[in-house]
Amino acid sequence: MLKIITAVISRDLKLAMRRQADIVSALFFFIIVVSLFPLGIGPEPDLLRKLAPGVLWVAALLATMLSLPRLFADDHRDGTLEQLALAPHPLGLVVTGKVIAHWLVSGLPLALIAPILGIQFDLSTEGLVAITLAILIGTPALSGIGAIGAALTLGLRGGGVLISLLVLPLYIPVLIFGAGAVDATVTGLGGEGHLSLLAALTFASLGFAPWAAAAALKIALE
Amino acid sequence: MLEADNLECVRGDRRLFAGLGFRLGAGELLYLQGKNGSGKTSLLRMLIGLLPPEAGEIRWKGATIKSDEFRADLCYLGHLNAIKEELTPLENLLAAAHLADEVLSEDEAMDALEQVGLAGREDLACKYLSQGQKRRVALARLVKEKRPLWILDEPFVALDVAAVNWLSGIISGHLQRGGLAVMTTHQLVDIPAGTVRELRLS
Amino acid sequence: MKDRFNLYRFASPAVFYPLAGAMTPYFVAVSIVFGIAGLWLGMLVAPTDFQQGEGYRIIFIHVPASWMSMFIYLVMAFWAAIGLAFNTRLSGMMAQALAPTGALMAFLSLLTGALWGKPMWGAWWVWDARLTSELILLFLYIGYMALTAAIDDPRRSDKAGGLLLLVGVVNIPIIYFSVKWWNTLHQGSSINLAKSSMATTMLWGMLLMAMCFWMYSIAIALMRVRTIILERERHSDWVKTLLLAGDPK
Amino acid sequence: MIHWNSFSDFIAMGGYGLYVWGSFGATALVMAIEPIVVLRNRSSTISRLKRQIRAENRNTSE
């Protein structure tokens, strides 16, 4: 079972390395969006510190969503998606591989750069650790749920905007527990409760979402 | 043994065909004839299991085609080349084989690429190849293809005469080895080996 | 093809179309009867609420609308499951027919919630767990309608929309509890809309209004589904004969 | 049995008149407009389909 998932991951990572522009652009989007907020809100550190978790998480949500159409659209356009659907393995496993590959290329970089942006918001060190951990744990769920949106809107005109309409409401629990974890850590309540719930959301998403996305792909490939 | 009986296809609100059936044994090639829009491609998509038929059933070796085993025996070549532009022809072949659980060594892949006349271009990213060359990368998959059931959607389109002869040789080799093939094509190409049967879609 | 007697024959649009036409007036009538009874009880007979004065009477609209917005989504998910499992065309149409009404119910619930919140808590919008979940439910409706509108092929639009509904219905409890957790975390007090002891007339008034809204939703859905049936089955013979035989009832 | 002793009290609704009648009015408006929209949509669909069918019959009959 793992063989097909690792095969898909290695293929997608090789492809992503060949076209680094997409990874970097989503990352810069994240950086720019986060940096805009202090300009809008004003420089007072304590206000920014209060807003940091929410701002960083919403920006992470939007950055992940930017790269969702790429999950299936390229493969659909050049015909490789059909070949993946005809691989002698359940399509859900193939999609799981693609979701993990997508996370490695979108969620992981966001987590790595989040602490640096946290400094802009004058977050304490625990806060920086918390935001990194939260985004690291939470973004796989974003990729998983996002895969459902990407599969449902495959080949549709206006797909980018449509995906956000479908997927953002489903992202809300991840946003709440993700931002909540940082907030709880910073205010001293301890974010373990939130992080464990976030991890639960991620495991549930990685477990079920690929199969729903596979069903959506089958509908789209009809 | 590929069997289809009482197949019905409705596209949008037009019924393209109904009550369609056939049996295809080892070493046999089925030509699908019919003008554009008569449902040839839809029938192919049904045979590979991507398009559920409105009615009727398809069996491979007596079992349903909605299984991993069927897909392990199936090789499908559609209109699209199914190659990644960023990868080189060699990487494309190896990745396709790897994803389909097929054993393909690098030498075999190099040999296949040589046979389709892409010698020396194995390590050039496909986006730098011409349309004809990309098509040949897609066809190169058939050279070492060991899976018994081939379903080819207009494989001869946009090929020069030499390539057409080469491909018909590959297909007849496949049939001689006891393989099966279902093919749609506009120009009738004579396949030397295997028994050829025709199915016309009105 | 031998004509098999089975459930699908009854679910065929041709059979359902006249049936829906016949049933709609009854649902409209029943809805009006429930409405009048509910309003009579709620607005004229029910006493003043010792805490909220007369303003509480908005619950006779707000709560039924919230229940209906939730209930319609579940019914749509039910039809989606049927449609995906049995591939019946009619279930997809029913889901699409219900969506606008469900969205309107969610909108009404939010509107009346705001109109109730202003006098009671001094703000048009309160980030209360229920109101927030209602807002998210409205987003889910909008997502469904946007997706189904973006897909031209009716079969794919039904299936894709159906799948989104199933994913949505699985997520609704998760969204509700995460919003509740988020709400209690930040605000502590969760405003209970109907905490005050419900006089029996109030309770009955609300239940009657809920029935009125339910019958209304069914009637509207039946009317809308008939148009969808005509649109989708336009190439079939029974629609052609129906349309050419003068103004179809 | 009637809770209110005068019609004007009923309208005033204990000072919450604006909010109560606002929400009832909005609901009444929605439940009036929606059927009208559905019926108008229905008649426009029917006339459009009729035209299509007549056009098809004319083409086939020529």
Side-chain angles (χ1 to χ4, degrees):
Chain A
M1 187 175 83
L2 274 181
K3 204 172 86 59
I4 181 72
I5 294 180
T6 43
V8 170
I9 291 175
S10 60
R11 167 186 177 267
D12 272 24
L13 285 186
K14 189 185 291 182
L15 276 170
M17 285 312 128
R18 293 285 165 80
R19 228 182 0 176
Q20 297 189 341
D22 296 347
I23 312 170
V24 173
S25 58
L27 211 52
F28 272 117
F29 173 85
F30 179 62
I31 296 165
I32 293 170
V33 163
V34 168
S35 312
L36 286 178
F37 278 87
L39 299 170
I41 294 163
E44 307 93 60
D46 46 22
L47 179 59
L48 287 183
R49 204 176 305 118
K50 189 103 185 66
L51 293 179
V55 165
L56 282 165
W57 258 100
V58 169
L61 239 64
L62 297 178
T64 308
M65 235 184 24
L66 260 185
S67 54
L68 281 182
R70 227 169 11 80
L71 247 171
F72 301 118
D74 300 340
D75 291 349
H76 182 57
R77 203 173 313 113
D78 53 38
T80 38
L81 192 59
E82 272 172 354
Q83 298 299 334
L84 284 174
L86 296 177
H89 296 280
L91 189 51
L93 294 180
V94 173
V95 173
T96 307
K98 283 198 90 62
V99 163
I100 295 170
H102 176 265
W103 176 72
L104 289 171
V105 165
S106 68
L108 188 56
L110 294 184
L112 298 181
I113 203 151
I116 299 159
L117 295 175
I119 294 166
Q120 270 185 342
F121 285 74
D122 189 37
L123 269 179
S124 59
T125 41
E126 306 86 17
L128 292 178
V129 167
I131 190 68
T132 313
L133 214 56
I135 290 190
L136 200 64
I137 296 173
T139 38
L142 299 184
S143 296
I145 299 169
I148 300 177
L152 282 172
T153 58
L154 194 60
L156 297 185
R157 59 197 184 291
V161 177
L162 195 56
I163 280 190
S164 53
L165 268 178
L166 307 185
V167 155
L168 281 179
L170 304 177
Y171 275 175
I172 287 171
V174 177
L175 172 63
I176 287 177
F177 291 121
V182 184
D183 195 52
T185 317
V186 165
T187 53
L189 287 170
E192 293 73 19
H194 291 79
L195 286 179
S196 52
L197 277 169
L198 197 60
L201 277 176
T202 291
F203 284 120
S205 303
L206 286 182
F208 295 113
W211 300 91
L217 279 184
K218 287 198 182 97
I219 295 169
L221 285 174
E222 250 174 28
Chain B
M1 163 63 90
L2 178 67
E3 295 160 82
D5 54 29
N6 196 8
L7 281 184
E8 182 183 342
C9 171
V10 174
R11 249 338 193 183
D13 30 50
R14 283 181 27 249
R15 170 178 290 109
L16 297 178
F17 53 78
L20 182 142
F22 63 82
R23 262 171 195 52
L24 199 65
E28 289 183 343
L29 160 68
L30 180 66
Y31 260 134
L32 283 186
Q33 300 287 309
K35 54 183 176 15
N36 269 350
S38 58
K40 298 201 299 290
T41 307
S42 298
L43 176 56
L44 281 192
R45 292 187 76 80
M46 275 185 195
L47 294 177
I48 58 176
L50 286 183
L51 174 63
E54 193 73 18
E57 213 199 343
I58 302 167
R59 283 181 301 279
W60 168 249
K61 293 182 191 164
T64 170
I65 58 170
K66 288 206 178 325
S67 68
D68 293 350
E69 293 72 28
F70 168 69
R71 288 198 298 274
D73 291 345
L74 168 71
C75 170
Y76 170 67
L77 183 67
H79 287 294
L80 300 170
N81 294 334
I83 59 170
K84 297 306 284 182
E85 301 270 321
E86 292 82 17
L87 299 180
T88 68
L90 185 59
E91 284 166 340
N92 265 304
L93 281 185
L94 292 175
H98 191 37
L99 285 172
D101 275 3
E102 282 202 296
V103 176
L104 184 69
S105 68
E106 199 163 308
D107 305 339
E108 284 171 326
M110 296 289 274
D111 177 36
L113 287 170
E114 208 181 320
Q115 278 197 32
V116 291
L118 288 171
R121 289 190 180 74
E122 295 88 353
D123 296 318
L124 183 69
C126 284
K127 59 186 176 212
Y128 300 117
L129 297 178
S130 72
Q131 205 51 35
Q133 287 164 330
K134 286 180 193 164
R135 187 62 188 172
R136 276 190 257 139
V137 173
L139 293 174
R141 272 180 42 222
L142 298 179
V143 174
K144 301 292 179 186
E145 188 52 68
K146 302 178 188 63
R147 285 176 287 184
L149 176 60
W150 288 8
I151 295 187
L152 314 170
D153 198 347
E154 302 200 7
F156 295 106
V157 78
L159 288 186
D160 52 41
V161 174
V164 167
N165 295 337
W166 169 78
L167 182 56
S168 58
I170 292 284
I171 294 173
S172 37
H174 167 71
L175 295 175
Q176 269 157 4
R177 289 194 300 273
L180 297 88
V182 179
M183 199 161 58
T184 58
T185 180
H186 279 301
Q187 73 270 44
L188 259 183
V189 176
D190 66 337
I191 305 287
T195 52
V196 176
R197 298 171 52 214
E198 280 191 25
L199 177 63
R200 181 162 293 282
L201 291 178
S202 58
Chain C
M1 202 163 78
K2 63 179 176 21
D3 190 357
R4 304 178 302 235
F5 173 82
N6 57 27
L7 190 62
Y8 306 157
R9 284 300 158 265
F10 285 107
S12 86
V15 171
F16 186 74
Y17 181 85
L19 207 61
M23 288 192 299
T24 309
Y26 292 101
F27 282 112
V28 171
V30 170
S31 163
I32 291 172
V33 166
F34 275 127
I36 292 171
L39 287 176
W40 172 270
L41 258 182
M43 298 308 283
L44 298 178
V45 173
T48 318
D49 176 74
F50 63 92
Q51 253 186 345
Q52 302 185 10
E54 302 301 342
Y56 82 94
R57 292 181 194 275
I58 296 179
I59 62 165
F60 296 119
I61 296 284
H62 177 69
V63 171
S66 314
W67 284 350
M68 278 318 294
S69 65
M70 190 55 189
F71 179 66
I72 287 179
Y73 196 87
L74 295 177
V75 169
M76 283 165 67
F78 164 75
W79 282 118
I82 298 274
L84 288 172
F86 300 107
N87 219 344
T88 49
R89 293 197 309 275
L90 195 57
S91 29
M93 298 185 203
M94 274 309 284
Q96 302 231 10
L98 281 163
T101 307
L104 277 174
M105 289 295 175
F107 167 72
L108 276 180
S109 159
L110 290 171
L111 183 69
T112 51
L115 281 169
W116 189 351
K118 182 64 181 151
M120 295 306 151
W121 310 302
W124 289 105
W125 176 255
V126 168
W127 285 99
D128 163 68
R130 257 188 302 274
L131 284 179
T132 315
S133 308
E134 190 69 45
L135 181 66
I136 299 167
L137 182 60
L138 181 60
F139 293 157
L140 291 178
Y141 272 113
I142 288 167
Y144 172 81
M145 290 194 281
L147 177 66
T148 43
I151 302 174
D152 301 329
D153 168 23
R155 280 162 62 96
R156 180 181 169 186
S157 130
D158 283 351
K159 286 186 176 175
L163 197 68
L164 181 66
L165 283 172
L166 293 181
V167 168
V169 96
V170 165
N171 273 284
I172 282 180
I174 301 170
I175 289 174
Y176 182 72
F177 286 117
S178 53
V179 167
K180 208 161 190 39
W181 174 298
W182 164 82
N183 181 278
T184 47
L185 184 73
H186 289 282
Q187 223 176 358
S189 74
S190 154
I191 296 105
N192 189 324
L193 292 179
K195 166 155 60 29
S196 55
S197 63
M198 293 284 284
T200 49
T201 46
M202 292 184 202
L203 190 62
W204 275 105
M206 206 164 60
L207 291 178
L208 284 171
M209 286 307 287
M211 288 304 293
C212 161
F213 275 50
W214 188 11
M215 293 303 127
Y216 163 80
S217 308
I218 296 176
I220 283 288
L222 288 178
M223 283 161 65
R224 196 176 281 120
V225 82
R226 296 182 79 214
T227 312
I228 296 175
I229 290 176
L230 284 184
E231 181 71 47
R232 293 221 188 149
E233 303 286 316
R234 60 183 179 280
H235 289 293
S236 56
D237 307 331
W238 70 274
V239 170
K240 287 181 177 160
T241 44
L242 187 77
L243 287 179
L244 289 183
D247 180 23
K249 180 59 212 81
Chain D
M1 215 209 1
I2 302 293
H3 166 71
W4 307 96
N5 28 38
S6 82
F7 186 67
S8 59
D9 290 355
F10 178 65
I11 296 298
M13 198 51 77
Y16 297 103
L18 172 67
Y19 305 108
V20 172
W21 299 119
S23 38
F24 278 82
T27 310
L29 203 64
V30 164
M31 292 173 97
I33 289 175
E34 194 180 8
I36 293 171
V37 166
V38 168
L39 286 179
R40 194 179 310 135
N41 183 319
R42 175 181 155 75
S43 53
S44 70
T45 307
I46 286 174
S47 50
R48 178 165 46 83
L49 291 182
K50 268 188 188 172
R51 275 198 306 277
Q52 274 171 6
I53 291 169
R54 278 204 202 90
E56 273 160 27
N57 293 354
R58 214 172 307 114
N59 298 352
T60 47
S61 59
E62 269 136 31

